[in-house]
Amino acid sequence: MRLVVVSNRVTIPDRHEKATAGGLAVALREALERHGGLWFGWSGVVGAARQLRETQRGNVTYAVTDLSEAERESYYLGFSNRALWPIMHYRLGLTEFQRSDYMGYLGVNRRFARELAGMIRPDDVIWIHDYHLIPLAAELRRRGVTNRIGYFHHIPWPSADTLTALPFSATLVRTLAAYDLIGMQTQLDTRNLIDCLMTLCGAKSDGRRVRLGARETVVQPFPIGIDVEAFRRLAAASARQAATPLRATRESLGERKLVIGVDRLDYSKGIVQRLEAFGQFLRSHPEERGRVGLLQIAPPSRSDVPEYAELDRMSDEVAGRLNAQLGEFDWTPIRVVKKAYSRTALAGLYRRAQVGLVTPMRDGMNLVAKEYIAAQNPVDPGVLVLSRFAGAAQQLGEALIVNPYDTHEVAEAIRTALAMPKSERIRRFEALYHVIETSGIHWWTRRYLEALTDAPAAAEDAEPPRKAGAKAEQPARRAGARNRPAVPERGEAKGAAAGAGRKRVSTPAETSHLTLVR
């Protein structure tokens, strides 16, 4: 079996590159190396020449193609980021739909399918990633590709009544029937997608298998994780040899406590609301002024999209106003840094922070929450404050779960976290560490590929371990002493261990999506 991975962007690694990249890219590279494989997608280059280029790195072939300026405007900036992204995050007021953008989105997916189909071998297993490429399998089927094809959706999937605000939503959703396996981040996302297929397309489902026309598709959750041990080592090393940003932070803070937030500058992350909540915390608890500060790291993204430029302006305005109202000559309560830092620097900053503030308005998973846990010192860990609308909240019930729309609730959670006794912080940390360690990135990759290739028991083992009794919707409770999970030794010497539809419908293999739209 050869593995074929398809994603919107593909970065070809340098021959002498050290293994410093993190998250999804590392996991996919390892899976491709193990099976032998092909990674296909957009090069990130915008230009007139769109020829396919192939590069060999070890056991992996990287095949990349450029986008024209018109394709970038319609497929990427237009439909993907102004229509799909906001509606998937329940932001109907920010959703902008243009038929020309939608046709461009479908056109790029059709071109990708045409270029990829000629490279597919009979025994290949194809794994397609994220919302930019929803109709890609339907176009591959139309070109005669019969291989097993899986799709993983990295962001939230909204309810059917929300999605129907998007024109042609039923037509787009129907193309998902071309996949053999669809992976979602959470059980809620899974239910929402199945409901969309049933409500908008007339599919039948038993809660896991969905039948639409002649095709049957399995939909189930595979919550993505991180490389826990690697990130723990980075954080532990930072205590011995601090990177420049960490040294500067330590010097400026002195003995003051640190609350940290790390996000792309995106309206789904709740950055402005988080700043307001920290201001509310200081106003409600004036005794904390001068004793704690918020560091918000927010590297810009999609700066060509007007909504992101407005968010950039708003975050600066709110931070400036709160600093002017609450700051002192020797203490700035909020620092917003709009640049990216290395994983090593971030690991050290997470470890230094007494509170990890992860409060997106809606998120598919949010790996910052898991990185913050992995980075903590087991002897004296910090506390995670986590939005109930992050997918991670379904696993991390021992965090302090909050409603990010309620600034008072978030403010009080910050106070609770800062005042929490060490014994309770350790109990919560141990429970959370157990969850992220037993459902890390390698677990995720392995389980998904087992399910896609129909390996025995893959489906039964897809749901990751979770702390017994933890509820994402409730404030976290103390972990019991029984069945205490294994965590890194406190000296940091080692790591821790249903039937057919109501009527006959044309399947994506039979009808081009572009034809359906026209």
Side-chain angles (χ1 to χ4, degrees):
M1 178 195 89
R2 187 180 72 152
L3 177 61
V4 175
V5 171
V6 188
S7 59
N8 172 57
R9 286 287 297 273
V10 176
T11 301
I12 301 173
D14 184 85
R15 288 186 183 276
H16 307 293
E17 176 187 42
K18 294 182 180 180
T20 56
L24 179 65
V26 168
L28 293 180
R29 284 182 195 173
E30 289 180 355
L32 286 163
E33 287 282 359
R34 184 165 60 252
H35 295 284
L38 168 69
W39 196 339
F40 175 93
W42 175 32
S43 64
V45 174
V46 178
R50 300 185 303 177
Q51 70 273 18
L52 191 67
R53 303 185 297 279
E54 296 184 34
T55 303
Q56 194 72 28
R57 291 288 185 270
N59 206 22
V60 183
T61 301
Y62 293 85
V64 297
T65 185
D66 302 340
L67 294 181
S68 69
E69 182 58 42
E71 287 175 328
R72 176 176 176 269
E73 282 292 330
S74 59
Y75 153 78
Y76 181 70
L77 295 177
F79 190 71
S80 291
N81 287 321
R82 290 198 187 108
L84 280 180
W85 178 269
I87 207 161
M88 294 285 178
H89 289 84
Y90 292 79
R91 300 298 294 270
L92 290 175
L94 297 178
T95 301
E96 296 181 16
F97 177 83
Q98 298 289 337
R99 285 185 177 234
S100 58
D101 289 343
Y102 186 40
M103 295 304 293
Y105 173 84
L106 299 176
V108 169
N109 273 271
R110 169 170 277 192
R111 178 164 75 85
F112 280 10
R114 182 175 66 249
E115 294 172 343
L116 180 60
M119 308 175 74
I120 300 298
R121 301 174 185 171
D123 64 338
D124 284 347
V125 171
I126 305 168
W127 191 2
I128 296 170
H129 289 265
D130 228 1
Y131 60 104
H132 311 84
L133 304 172
I134 289 173
L136 183 56
E139 292 296 343
L140 288 170
R141 299 294 188 205
R142 182 170 169 268
R143 292 181 171 277
V145 175
T146 59
N147 304 56
R148 290 190 66 79
I149 308 178
Y151 171 76
F152 189 82
H153 192 74
H154 290 264
I155 65 175
W157 191 278
S159 59
D161 60 339
T162 299
L163 190 65
T164 52
L166 182 71
F168 299 112
S169 55
T171 310
L172 183 64
V173 169
R174 186 184 301 277
T175 66
L176 287 167
Y179 290 99
D180 298 288
L181 174 67
I182 299 173
M184 311 300 287
Q185 295 280 23
T186 68
Q187 189 62 54
L188 175 61
D189 295 329
T190 301
R191 290 197 303 266
N192 282 344
L193 175 54
I194 291 174
D195 184 52
C196 284
L197 286 162
M198 295 173 67
T199 303
L200 305 181
C201 307
K204 292 289 186 179
S205 176
D206 62 1
R208 177 173 170 269
R209 292 179 294 271
V210 177
R211 189 164 189 83
L212 181 57
R215 290 197 58 83
E216 185 174 274
T217 302
V218 173
V219 185
Q220 66 185 73
F222 296 88
I224 195 169
I226 65 170
D227 188 337
V228 176
E229 176 61 18
F231 207 80
R232 185 196 69 81
R233 287 198 302 267
L234 282 177
S238 73
R240 299 187 296 271
Q241 187 174 4
T244 300
L246 180 56
R247 287 199 304 272
T249 302
R250 285 175 176 172
E251 291 169 3
S252 64
L253 283 172
E255 297 301 315
R256 295 187 182 103
K257 293 184 177 181
L258 175 64
V259 177
I260 192 169
V262 178
D263 311 86
R264 287 184 303 104
L265 192 62
D266 189 289
Y267 51 75
S268 68
K269 302 300 183 181
I271 294 172
V272 170
Q273 294 84 350
R274 185 179 309 156
L275 300 179
E276 294 283 14
F278 191 75
Q280 178 64 43
F281 158 71
L282 293 176
R283 283 191 293 268
S284 300
H285 304 283
E287 71 279 3
E288 296 291 348
R289 296 184 189 182
R291 298 170 58 186
V292 60
L294 170 64
L295 171 61
Q296 174 63 57
I297 297 173
S301 68
R302 302 169 187 157
S303 55
D304 293 339
V305 179
E307 291 81 4
Y308 290 81
E310 175 63 12
L311 176 62
D312 192 359
R313 184 193 65 78
M314 287 181 61
S315 61
D316 286 344
E317 181 182 290
V318 171
R321 170 171 52 81
L322 292 173
N323 283 335
Q325 292 173 353
L326 302 169
E328 302 290 347
F329 73 92
D330 61 345
W331 170 67
T332 301
I334 297 172
R335 285 177 290 176
V336 178
V337 183
K338 294 179 179 176
K339 61 181 291 187
Y341 288 97
S342 69
R343 287 170 57 78
T344 301
L346 288 177
L349 291 169
Y350 290 143
R351 194 179 183 89
R352 169 62 178 82
Q354 282 72 29
V355 180
L357 199 52
V358 183
T359 54
M361 314 312 281
R362 183 74 63 169
D363 224 335
M365 177 54 60
N366 197 298
L367 297 181
V368 169
K370 298 185 176 186
E371 289 177 345
Y372 178 78
I373 295 163
Q376 294 310 296
N377 180 355
V379 178
D380 189 18
V383 178
L384 175 65
V385 176
L386 180 61
S387 166
R388 64 183 297 181
F389 300 115
Q394 303 304 309
Q395 294 179 276
L396 306 180
E398 293 294 344
L400 295 179
I401 307 298
V402 297
N403 179 354
Y405 292 90
D406 186 342
T407 56
H408 178 77
E409 182 177 327
V410 177
E412 290 307 301
I414 295 170
R415 178 175 181 270
T416 300
L418 290 170
M420 188 177 292
K422 182 187 288 189
S423 59
E424 185 173 355
R425 286 189 279 116
I426 290 173
R427 284 194 292 269
R428 288 177 185 270
F429 163 76
E430 289 179 348
L432 292 169
Y433 192 95
H434 174 71
V435 172
I436 66 169
E437 185 193 35
T438 53
S439 57
I441 188 65
H442 303 294
W443 171 92
W444 176 79
T445 307
R446 183 177 68 253
R447 289 304 180 210
Y448 185 92
L449 290 175
E450 286 175 354
L452 181 57
T453 56
D454 275 340
E460 289 77 0
D461 206 16
E463 190 68 28
R466 176 180 163 180
K467 178 66 182 175
K471 296 182 179 179
E473 294 79 6
Q474 301 295 331
R477 298 188 298 271
R478 294 187 177 186
R482 273 187 318 168
N483 302 322
R484 182 168 292 177
V487 295
E489 290 188 356
R490 296 188 178 174
E492 291 285 28
K494 61 180 180 179
R502 295 187 186 92
K503 60 181 180 179
R504 181 72 170 92
V505 293
S506 298
T507 66
E510 299 167 323
T511 307
S512 165
H513 192 179
L514 291 173
T515 303
L516 287 169
V517 173
R518 291 184 180 127

